[in-house]
Amino acid sequence: MQEATFGDSLKKIRLSKGDSVRKVALYAGISASYYSQIENNKRQIPKPATLRKIATGLHISETEIFKLANLIPAESSAAKPVIHVSGLRMPADVDLPRRKPTQSAQANKIGLTNSRQQLHYPLSTHVNTQLPPWQAQAETIQWLKITDTNLVMLGILKSDLAVISTAAKACQLIPESPKLMAFNLTTAKTTVRQTLITTDQQVMLTTGLPTEKPLFLTLTEFKHQLAGAVINLYRDLH
């Protein structure tokens, strides 16, 4: 049996909702003839900006349409290549430059009973709301106070404390494996986003909220805006 094409998948979703081509195109803000050509496999898979419009027209998530377009890989048992921050290329034989750990890279570790996991937290008691760029510092582990209110879908609340590591291993990107990472998207603060490498070598940042569009960065932009990787989260329940 022939595998369904991208256009076939769109048509199946549209028909399941009882919508016409014209209605989907209207909500998507594109022409009905153009959308019809996509469904009938007479056009190549559109660019991400157009895919987001089609997702709106079909009332599906952007993550779902990116998966249909193979921009986000399906789960696979095959070995996963690693994208290294400094290498900006595949496969997994490019190492990040090893940097000498500073005193702030040291962390306390608490072992848990009946578990192999350990809780890590910085030795320093200083809490930051803004961290320096990843490439401008040595290996560190620091506190970051969450100031955003739009990370609820990621399980993160305002005033949570995140432990941010700049270690090479922590900052590696692995296809099919979303990771929480910290970024300097503005000059005012450091924020946390769920991060995923796509098959076209872009990095997708999301808050998890369906009403907020993902942000796509090139690997170079990712490297320049990265502050580190989230390795632990702490919350005051009092």
Side-chain angles (χ1 to χ4, degrees):
M1 185 176 178
Q2 187 176 3
E3 185 177 353
T5 64
F6 176 71
D8 295 337
S9 299
L10 295 186
K11 181 180 291 186
K12 182 178 179 180
I13 293 172
R14 176 177 62 79
L15 293 177
S16 71
K17 297 176 180 293
D19 292 336
S20 66
V21 167
R22 186 178 298 274
K23 181 178 179 181
V24 171
L26 178 64
Y27 278 95
I30 60 178
S31 71
S33 61
Y34 174 63
Y35 178 73
S36 178
Q37 290 174 345
I38 295 173
E39 273 199 1
N40 291 295
N41 304 305
K42 295 180 179 179
R43 290 270 190 168
Q44 293 182 343
I45 294 176
K47 295 180 179 180
T50 304
L51 289 176
R52 288 194 285 270
K53 292 180 179 180
I54 294 174
T56 300
L58 289 172
H59 302 289
I60 62 176
S61 69
E62 294 177 356
T63 299
E64 183 175 354
I65 201 165
F66 290 143
K67 285 182 178 179
L68 292 176
N70 288 324
L71 289 179
I72 299 178
E75 291 298 328
S76 171
S77 59
K80 299 178 182 180
V82 176
I83 308 296
H84 290 286
V85 174
S86 66
L88 306 182
R89 59 189 176 91
M90 295 173 66
D93 57 355
V94 181
D95 289 323
L96 283 166
R98 296 191 176 276
R99 297 171 294 183
K100 184 178 180 180
T102 64
Q103 185 175 2
S104 59
Q106 300 176 9
N108 285 318
K109 300 179 182 180
I110 301 176
L112 302 178
T113 304
N114 299 325
S115 174
R116 294 182 179 180
Q117 293 185 338
Q118 291 183 320
L119 300 182
H120 293 70
Y121 59 95
L123 291 177
S124 171
T125 58
H126 182 72
V127 176
N128 309 277
T129 57
Q130 186 173 19
L131 299 175
W134 179 88
Q135 71 273 16
Q137 60 181 314
E139 184 176 318
T140 61
I141 296 177
Q142 300 183 70
W143 290 109
L144 173 68
K145 184 176 182 179
I146 303 298
T147 57
D148 293 300
T149 59
N150 59 346
L151 303 176
V152 178
M153 297 299 291
L154 301 180
I156 304 174
L157 302 180
K158 183 178 180 180
S159 297
D160 282 355
L161 295 179
V163 179
I164 308 299
S165 172
T166 62
K169 185 176 181 180
C171 293
Q172 290 172 348
L173 289 178
I174 303 176
E176 307 173 30
S177 300
K179 178 179 290 188
L180 291 177
M181 306 191 83
F183 295 91
N184 293 315
L185 300 179
T186 69
T187 57
K189 64 180 181 180
T190 300
T191 188
V192 171
R193 292 291 185 269
Q194 181 168 272
T195 309
L196 184 68
I197 184 80
T198 65
T199 55
D200 62 349
Q201 298 290 283
Q202 292 192 80
V203 181
M204 182 172 71
L205 311 185
T206 66
T207 63
L209 290 175
T211 55
E212 292 194 16
K213 293 183 177 180
L215 174 65
F216 286 87
L217 303 177
T218 65
L219 289 175
T220 300
E221 291 170 335
F222 164 77
K223 174 185 173 184
H224 289 162
Q225 294 183 266
L226 176 67
V230 178
I231 60 172
N232 267 324
L233 282 165
Y234 298 92
R235 178 174 304 156
D236 186 357
L237 299 179
H238 298 288

